[in-house]
């Protein structure tokens, strides 16, 4: 961590979090790097007064929901998630009514108001377990249709209605680009995120969350991998492995919102206390319930 940043951070009793898809300069200067829910959970356990979340808005909101007493800062105000914005609270409630009250399962990649009207949350790592754990037979899965379809393929005894949302970064992975890479690197193992389209998932050796993919390449005896997730993950993968080679599918594996935060934004966030996440108490309380429910299932 840069000494000036460290000083400022200590003076303010802040903790700096960076998602795996952030720029290298941000990941290098964070206290913790990880998936969004894991980071929010880590921050909640710290004694910090301020959480600086280098990521996108829903991630900082989740940190606020888990640590309502702390000040949570998102260094770039308009760093949002297009997929999260594909589901609004009003549209989810309307769909729920139309479908006659299925259980609403929302991916953590949703805005706080959508979580507040959900029955349970899930991550890409536990989505199958979460849906399997539900007693009712009908589920509305929000907002990622690819992750929802993956869940549907793996939970045969439930009706899973899919929301028509997607992550533009993962949706862009094409099977022809993957096949080209497989031809060029025939010994490489393929590890992809479940937000990827079905054809890409079906051609993979491993499907998992971002931290799941990192864990897979780290533990694998293989040395070469084709990766289907946002390219920022390479920073942490390379840091954790020696002499392993990685090839990202296609040339559009960049989430522009995750690349908005630069080192100067991180400094300014601490110096000027910006941009603070403010959620009303009711939203915090009701959005916490589905997260709490998910966490209890994960641990059971
Ligand atoms: S990578 Fe996809 S899901 Fe993640 S923040 Fe970017 S658009 Fe949203």
């Amino acid at each position: 961590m840069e000494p000036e940043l460290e000083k400022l951070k200590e003076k303010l009793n802040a903790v700096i979090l960076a998602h795996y898809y952030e720029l290298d300069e941000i990941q290098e200067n964070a206290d913790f790097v990880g998936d969004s829910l894991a980071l929010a959970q880590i921050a909640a356990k710290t004694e910090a007064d301020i959480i600086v979340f280098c990521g996108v808005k829903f991630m900082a909101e989740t940190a606020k929901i888990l640590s309502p007493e702390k000040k949570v800062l998102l260094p770039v105000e308009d760093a949002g998630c297009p997929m999260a914005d594909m589901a609004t609270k009003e549209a989810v409630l309307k769909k729920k009514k139309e479908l006659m009250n299925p259980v609403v399962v929302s991916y953590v990649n949703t805005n706080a108001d959508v979580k507040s009207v959900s029955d349970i949350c899930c991550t890409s790592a536990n989505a199958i377990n979460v849906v399997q754990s539900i007693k009712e037979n009908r589920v509305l899965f929000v907002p990622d249709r690819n992750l929802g379809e993956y869940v549907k393929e793996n939970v045969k005894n439930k009706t899973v209605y899919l929301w028509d949302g997607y992550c533009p970064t993962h949706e862009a992975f094409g099977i022809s680009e993957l096949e080209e890479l497989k031809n060029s690197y025939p010994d490489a193992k393929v590890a992809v995120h479940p937000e990827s389209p079905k054809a890409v998932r079906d051609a993979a050796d491993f499907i998992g969350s971002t931290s799941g993919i990192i864990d897979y390449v780290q533990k694998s005896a293989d040395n070469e991998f084709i990766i289907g997730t946002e390219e920022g993950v390479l920073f942490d993968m390379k840091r954790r492995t020696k002499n392993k080679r990685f090839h990202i599918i296609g040339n559009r594996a960049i989430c522009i919102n995750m690349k908005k935060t630069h080192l100067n934004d991180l400094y300014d966030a601490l110096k000027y206390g910006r941009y603070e996440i403010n959620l009303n108490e009711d939203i915090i309380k009701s959005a916490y319930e589905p997260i709490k429910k998910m966490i209890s299932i994960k641990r059971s």
Side-chain angles (χ1 to χ4, degrees):
M1 185 176 288
E2 297 220 345
E4 277 303 301
L5 194 65
E6 181 123 43
K7 255 195 242 162
L8 194 55
K9 191 196 78 163
E10 276 171 17
K11 189 173 143 207
L12 297 166
N13 190 27
V15 60
I16 300 173
L17 312 177
H19 189 272
Y20 288 125
Y21 302 165
E22 289 288 303
L23 292 170
D24 295 0
E25 68 192 49
I26 295 296
Q27 296 194 44
E28 266 165 12
N29 283 286
D31 293 303
F32 300 101
V33 176
D35 275 332
S36 67
L37 180 72
L39 288 173
Q41 288 179 297
I42 288 168
K45 287 185 190 143
T46 68
E47 297 294 320
D49 295 315
I50 299 174
I51 299 170
V52 186
F53 206 127
C54 302
V56 296
K57 193 182 89 181
F58 78 79
M59 299 177 180
E61 284 184 346
T62 305
K64 182 71 186 173
I65 293 162
L66 296 192
S67 302
E69 74 295 350
K70 296 185 183 5
K71 184 187 257 196
V72 178
L73 304 174
L74 178 68
V76 173
E77 199 172 20
D78 71 346
C81 168
M83 177 163 76
D85 293 341
M86 288 174 194
T88 63
K89 173 183 163 183
E90 292 72 27
V92 169
L93 288 174
K94 187 167 173 250
K95 184 55 100 185
K96 183 176 174 175
K97 199 172 170 194
E98 272 169 29
L99 294 171
M100 294 183 298
N101 289 323
V103 174
V104 177
V105 178
S106 69
Y107 190 18
V108 284
N109 300 27
T110 46
N111 295 317
D113 60 343
V114 169
K115 288 187 180 75
S116 76
V117 295
S118 301
D119 296 295
I120 187 164
C121 284
C122 72
T123 65
S124 53
N126 66 19
I128 293 172
N129 285 346
V130 165
V131 174
Q132 262 165 350
S133 76
I134 293 166
K135 282 197 240 75
E136 290 83 351
N137 290 324
R138 296 182 318 117
V139 163
L140 170 60
F141 193 91
V142 181
D144 184 24
R145 66 185 180 212
N146 290 321
L147 177 60
E149 184 181 45
Y150 175 61
V151 168
K152 203 170 166 165
E153 288 162 8
N154 285 280
V155 186
K156 304 281 185 206
N157 61 345
K158 303 219 185 281
T159 302
V160 181
Y161 304 105
L162 303 181
W163 195 263
D164 197 19
Y166 59 91
C167 162
T169 308
H170 289 85
E171 178 80 0
F173 296 139
I175 186 65
S176 55
E177 293 160 324
L178 174 54
E179 294 299 349
E180 262 174 46
L181 280 175
K182 282 175 106 170
N183 289 336
S184 304
Y185 308 103
D187 295 331
K189 287 282 183 279
V190 180
V192 308
H193 197 283
E195 287 174 20
S196 307
K198 179 172 170 53
V200 169
R201 293 196 311 270
D202 286 349
D205 298 294
F206 176 80
I207 301 169
S209 64
T210 308
S211 41
I213 293 174
I214 293 171
D215 199 44
Y216 170 75
V217 303
Q218 204 176 353
K219 290 184 180 153
S220 170
D222 291 283
N223 286 317
E224 189 152 39
F225 301 88
I226 297 169
I227 303 294
T229 193
E230 214 272 358
E231 60 152 45
V233 73
L234 295 180
F235 179 80
D236 201 63
M237 266 180 192
K238 288 178 183 165
R239 187 154 72 169
R240 288 167 189 258
T241 59
K242 271 191 196 147
N243 305 322
K244 296 204 176 190
R245 293 177 301 284
F246 306 106
H247 311 281
I248 293 273
I249 304 172
N251 54 13
R252 302 180 303 280
I254 294 175
C255 172
I256 50 170
N257 282 282
M258 289 289 200
K259 305 300 188 224
K260 284 182 176 171
T261 309
H262 293 83
L263 207 46
N264 60 307
D265 300 304
L266 179 51
Y267 272 107
D268 287 352
L270 285 166
K271 268 193 222 159
Y272 306 115
R274 69 191 192 195
Y275 292 91
E276 186 172 358
I277 297 291
N278 290 303
L279 295 172
N280 80 41
E281 251 181 62
D282 291 345
I283 290 276
I284 290 180
K285 275 190 196 146
S286 43
Y288 178 62
E289 288 306 314
I291 297 176
K292 192 172 77 179
K293 206 163 168 190
M294 164 188 68
I295 292 169
S296 70
I297 282 167
K298 218 173 120 192
R299 284 179 183 159
S300 65

